[in-house]
Amino acid sequence: MLTQALLVDDSRSVLNFLKRHIEADSLVEATTFLDPVEALACARERVFDLVLVDYEMPHMDGISFIRALRALPGCTDIPIAMITSRQTDDVKMEALQAGATDFLPKAPQSVEMTVRLRNLIQLGAAVRKLNDRAAHLASEVAAATRKLGEREEEIILRLALAVEYRDNDTGEHTLRVARYSRIIAEQLGLPIRVCRDIYLAAPLHDVGKVAIPDDILLKPGKLTDIEMAVIRTHATIGEKILADSSCELIQLGAQIAAGHHERWDGAGYPNGLRADEIPIAARVVAVADVFDALTTRRPYKEPMPLDLARDYLIENQGRQFDPACVEAFLSRWDEVLGIAPRQSATPLQNSEAASHSL
């Protein structure tokens, strides 16, 4: 690949000389400009490996040009030489502070100019190779990071599905809670990355159920006080399973597992947290989880109609749920209906039958 040079001088004769001189060995392709403003516009669109610019020009002198060029993306490392016959210490110092790499004498037949120009061409080519190599390595790192993230996501989802299949043979609860949670997080205005992480970590909310005996988890009916105490341990157990992970998604999953049964009014479990003491991700998932638990069939209950489940959220905002999370969820009700399972007309079951998940 040819080294791409940008030549800027208000003298056409000087430009022609520089172009012939710099392209003599066929290793460089030069683009010339009489107007420094037009040259800057070109540099915004193209990548150059080397820049030669005159000091004294109309509209913009060489130092101002160098300063403006260095501010452009991709122009921080390329060699820039200023051509001038006024190589005083003050001019040199100001040019170096602006970002000049070297200086070339104005004398067209100068041996010094030939040698310096050759060195600048070699430096420009070397910088381009380094930048290309750095870009390649960055691409490889990004690909490896993306692949690692995809593996983390798959492991999390499969772990969550393994837990859910104990009391739900479709695995769809996990996916619906994740999608509901993303809707809430997005509507709350949380950063895009946080919305994504909540979506991915939400399926871990019930991972602690792996430790709950089947005769309690699958009991078709009201639990005794002792049985209810046992099933409530799944929040703490889930946190312990996920605690101390080096994976940020697993760490977020631990927050969700521990806090998704806390209540806005402080009457939840396991720690009796209230309001903003509850992590935002747990408050988000609490709404998503309860809504899906209410509206789906479980071993211990029939599904609640969607409009009644919506009413339940409204009635309990500010008590069980963060009001902002409920408002965010209901503000995108059409999307919720698109995610929710289709229901046939079924009578509303006694609320006691839904208590396993609430």
Side-chain angles (χ1 to χ4, degrees), residues 137-193:
L137 290 175
S139 177
E140 289 187 335
V141 169
T145 301
R146 183 170 59 253
K147 190 172 184 179
L148 179 61
E150 290 170 354
R151 288 179 178 176
E152 288 179 346
E153 294 169 15
E154 181 180 4
I155 290 171
I156 288 172
L157 181 58
R158 291 185 181 276
L159 173 61
L161 289 175
V163 174
E164 187 183 345
Y165 268 84
R166 292 193 60 210
D167 65 345
N168 183 340
D169 62 4
T170 67
E172 293 177 357
H173 169 70
T174 291
L175 300 177
R176 285 194 299 267
V177 169
R179 294 174 69 184
Y180 291 149
S181 296
R182 180 162 57 185
I183 285 176
I184 298 170
E186 289 175 350
Q187 200 63 19
L188 288 174
L190 299 180
I192 294 175
R193 178 58 185 267

Side-chain angles (χ1 to χ4, degrees), residues 1 9 28 45 69 85 101 104 127 136 138 171 193 241 269 273 297 345-346:
M1 183 181 294
D9 198 301
V28 180
E45 304 295 331
L69 187 69
S85 57
T101 306
L104 294 178
V127 169
H136 177 68
R193 178 58 185 267
I241 290 172
Y269 66 89
L273 301 180
R297 180 175 285 102
T346 54

Side-chain angles (χ1 to χ4, degrees), residues 14 17 35 45 55 63 65 86 99 142 146 178 183 205 214 236 291-292 299 332 337:
V14 173
F17 168 77
D35 187 339
E45 304 295 331
Y55 171 53
I63 293 174
F65 178 88
R86 294 178 55 188
R146 183 170 59 253
I183 285 176
H205 65 283
D214 285 350
T236 302
F291 180 80
D292 194 68
R332 289 169 63 173
L337 294 179

Side-chain angles (χ1 to χ4, degrees), residues 65-177:
F65 178 88
I66 293 171
R67 189 177 292 112
L69 187 69
R70 285 297 188 204
L72 298 179
C75 295
T76 56
D77 300 323
I78 61 173
I80 302 176
M82 194 172 74
I83 305 169
T84 180
S85 57
R86 294 178 55 188
Q87 295 195 30
T88 64
D89 289 343
D90 290 344
V91 171
K92 284 186 176 182
M93 181 59 66
E94 189 177 1
L96 289 171
Q97 290 175 342
T101 306
D102 202 354
F103 303 90
L104 294 178
K106 197 77 168 179
Q109 302 300 328
S110 169
V111 174
E112 180 184 0
M113 181 177 187
T114 301
V115 174
R116 286 179 178 271
L117 195 56
R118 183 183 62 215
N119 291 342
L120 285 167
I121 292 171
Q122 293 174 349
L123 177 59
V127 169
R128 183 186 64 197
K129 288 180 180 179
L130 286 174
N131 288 339
D132 288 347
R133 178 61 176 166
H136 177 68
L137 290 175
S139 177
E140 289 187 335
V141 169
T145 301
R146 183 170 59 253
K147 190 172 184 179
L148 179 61
E150 290 170 354
R151 288 179 178 176
E152 288 179 346
E153 294 169 15
E154 181 180 4
I155 290 171
I156 288 172
L157 181 58
R158 291 185 181 276
L159 173 61
L161 289 175
V163 174
E164 187 183 345
Y165 268 84
R166 292 193 60 210
D167 65 345
N168 183 340
D169 62 4
T170 67
E172 293 177 357
H173 169 70
T174 291
L175 300 177
R176 285 194 299 267
V177 169

Side-chain angles (χ1 to χ4, degrees), residues 168-353:
N168 183 340
D169 62 4
T170 67
E172 293 177 357
H173 169 70
T174 291
L175 300 177
R176 285 194 299 267
V177 169
R179 294 174 69 184
Y180 291 149
S181 296
R182 180 162 57 185
I183 285 176
I184 298 170
E186 289 175 350
Q187 200 63 19
L188 288 174
L190 299 180
I192 294 175
R193 178 58 185 267
V194 175
C195 294
R196 168 193 172 273
D197 288 351
I198 289 177
Y199 168 75
L200 294 172
L204 294 173
H205 65 283
D206 276 340
V207 69
K209 284 185 176 179
V210 295
I212 305 302
D214 285 350
D215 61 339
I216 296 178
L217 186 64
L218 305 180
K219 182 177 179 179
K222 183 180 178 180
L223 299 177
T224 67
D225 290 344
I226 294 177
E227 290 169 336
M228 182 60 73
V230 171
I231 204 166
R232 285 183 171 182
T233 63
H234 82 277
T236 302
I237 292 170
E239 181 184 24
K240 290 180 179 178
I241 290 172
L242 303 174
D244 302 323
S245 172
S246 60
C247 172
E248 291 183 0
L249 284 176
I250 299 294
Q251 294 173 11
L252 185 62
Q255 288 185 10
I256 292 171
H260 73 290
H261 283 294
E262 300 287 358
R263 290 175 53 112
W264 185 255
D265 61 9
Y269 66 89
N271 298 311
L273 301 180
R274 63 184 302 120
D276 292 340
E277 294 174 350
I278 308 168
I280 182 60
R283 304 197 313 259
V284 166
V285 174
V287 173
D289 180 40
V290 169
F291 180 80
D292 194 68
L294 289 172
T295 57
T296 54
R297 180 175 285 102
R298 295 295 177 86
Y300 46 85
K301 74 173 189 69
E302 291 297 321
M304 178 184 290
L306 296 175
D307 57 342
L308 294 182
R310 179 188 58 199
D311 291 343
Y312 180 89
L313 296 183
I314 295 172
E315 291 168 5
N316 286 277
Q317 62 181 338
R319 293 188 295 175
Q320 183 174 351
F321 307 113
D322 180 347
C325 291
V326 173
E327 182 178 350
F329 185 65
L330 299 183
S331 69
R332 289 169 63 173
W333 185 246
D334 288 345
E335 292 178 57
V336 171
L337 294 179
I339 297 170
R342 294 185 178 181
Q343 296 182 339
S344 57
T346 54
L348 177 62
Q349 301 297 304
N350 189 310
S351 61
E352 292 284 1

